[in-house]
Amino acid sequence: MKAVLLHHPDGLAYGDVPTPTPAKGEVLVEVAVAGVNFMDIGVRRGQFWLEMPYPKGMGVEGAGRVVAVGEGVVDFRPGQRVAWAYGPGSYAEMVVMPATSLVPLPDAIDDRAAASVMMAGLTASHFATEFYPVQPGDIALVHAAAGGVGLLLTQIIKLRGGTVIGRVSSESKAEIARRTGADHVIVDTAGEFAEAAVRLSGGEGVHVVYDGSGPATFQGSLDALRVAGTFCWYGPVLGGPGTLDIMSLPKSIKLGYAVFAHHVRTPELLRARAARLFQWMIEGKLHPSIGQVYPLAEAATALAQMESRASAGKLLLIP
């Protein structure tokens, strides 16, 4: 079968590898679509999976169909459609993973849509329903509002009755954010968005900031918050803001680092929260935005596009 392997940092190769065999508790899946994520950039740079020897199978997210199951697997059967948010080696024609990593995929959800909402959708769900449960009337500042997480996060905030101020880097991305439901959009590349966010929130500042844009936006996000506002920081690939003096934090704000895995910390939570995303999609309340779709052999191009921050929507790979 074909797969994309990382032989050393930045050393991607597309080629033939043996088809894996599922062990006890595992499932072999034929990959229909693989999702591209910032986590994959971190793996490629050598930031993550340090304990894993080279070559490393790239990718973690996708949708497809069960080919075979290992001993003891009773929740899935050959031929069944499934999706997953974390299955290392997903940039491949086939991937093997624990059955506990899979969710059943309803017939009403196609493979591309499913692969577009697993990692980003569960991340957005965590941010807006658990880390900071948005309430009607809340005002949220969403960074990278035209990205995979930002577009889904905007929709979930709106579902919960919140107002969205989206920050994007270009006018073309601003239009995408508006179409998805952002109430206000700030076009900014210099980190000078805080004043506009405070003005758009009636002079008080926003209730919550969702910031995965790296250290350059950290201070502006602090400045955009109202008294007792919440700062949801995420995205390890771009790095953190450095050492903080907690006594210097302004306005009694609450600051935390949100990790999507904590939202789906058991198989039961993974399946329940994925099912909620799928139901929102079936009801027409959540619409994944697919950006560009590449052949699996062009994985390096897709990663470069994401890393440049030029892309909008979800990037996908097709084996």
Side-chain angles (χ1 to χ4, degrees), residues 116-132:
S116 297
V117 301
M118 289 304 295
M119 178 72 82
L122 291 170
T123 297
S125 172
H126 179 37
F127 294 172
T129 70
E130 186 173 20
F131 186 88
Y132 177 85

Side-chain angles (χ1 to χ4, degrees), residues 237-252:
V237 174
L238 297 177
T243 303
L244 295 174
D245 176 2
I246 195 168
M247 294 180 68
S248 72
L249 295 177
K251 297 176 284 190
S252 297

Side-chain angles (χ1 to χ4, degrees), residues 40 67 72 79 81 88 100 110 119 121 139 145 148 151 170-171 203 214 228 241 251 257 262 267 281 285 303 314:
D40 305 336
V67 175
R81 297 178 65 234
T100 52
D110 68 42
M119 178 72 82
I139 303 170
L151 290 169
S170 68
E171 287 292 347
K251 297 176 284 190
Y257 178 60
H262 298 154
M281 294 165 69
K285 297 176 180 178
L303 287 168
K314 183 70 176 182

Side-chain angles (χ1 to χ4, degrees), residues 211-302:
D211 189 347
S213 294
T217 55
F218 185 81
Q219 185 60 51
S221 290
L222 286 180
D223 296 340
L225 284 165
R226 65 178 55 202
V227 171
T230 296
F231 193 145
C232 176
W233 177 267
Y234 69 98
V237 174
L238 297 177
T243 303
L244 295 174
D245 176 2
I246 195 168
M247 294 180 68
S248 72
L249 295 177
K251 297 176 284 190
S252 297
I253 68 159
K254 298 174 283 292
L255 171 64
Y257 178 60
V259 179
F260 100 98
H262 298 154
H263 193 52
V264 291
R265 51 195 176 273
T266 68
E268 293 77 20
L269 283 172
L270 170 64
R271 291 171 189 168
R273 285 168 171 159
R276 181 172 62 181
L277 292 176
F278 296 152
Q279 188 59 40
W280 282 339
M281 294 165 69
I282 292 169
E283 294 172 356
K285 297 176 180 178
L286 187 68
H287 304 276
S289 178
I290 297 173
Q292 292 176 268
V293 180
Y294 300 85
L296 181 62
E298 296 179 16
T301 301

Side-chain angles (χ1 to χ4, degrees), residues 74-209:
V74 296
D75 294 337
F76 298 98
R77 64 187 185 281
Q80 184 174 0
R81 297 178 65 234
V82 291
W84 59 95
Y86 190 76
S90 292
Y91 286 10
E93 291 180 328
M94 295 191 186
V95 62
V96 70
M97 72 188 80
T100 52
S101 297
L102 294 168
V103 302
L105 186 54
D107 290 339
I109 307 294
D110 68 42
D111 293 327
R112 294 190 183 194
S116 297
V117 301
M118 289 304 295
M119 178 72 82
L122 291 170
T123 297
S125 172
H126 179 37
F127 294 172
T129 70
E130 186 173 20
F131 186 88
Y132 177 85
V134 173
Q135 302 300 311
D138 282 350
I139 303 170
L141 173 59
V142 176
H143 286 273
V149 171
L151 290 169
L152 293 170
L153 179 57
T154 292
Q155 294 176 70
I156 295 173
I157 292 168
K158 298 297 293 180
L159 273 173
R160 295 179 63 86
T163 294
V164 174
I165 301 171
R167 174 182 167 269
V168 297
S169 60
S170 68
E171 287 292 347
S172 61
K173 290 185 177 182
E175 180 57 31
I176 295 169
R178 290 189 189 99
R179 287 201 307 266
T180 304
D183 299 278
H184 311 282
V185 180
I186 301 168
V187 179
D188 166 71
T189 57
E192 298 174 354
F193 56 87
E195 183 178 346
V198 170
R199 174 175 51 80
L200 290 168
S201 59
E204 294 292 323
V206 300
H207 294 86
V208 58
V209 174

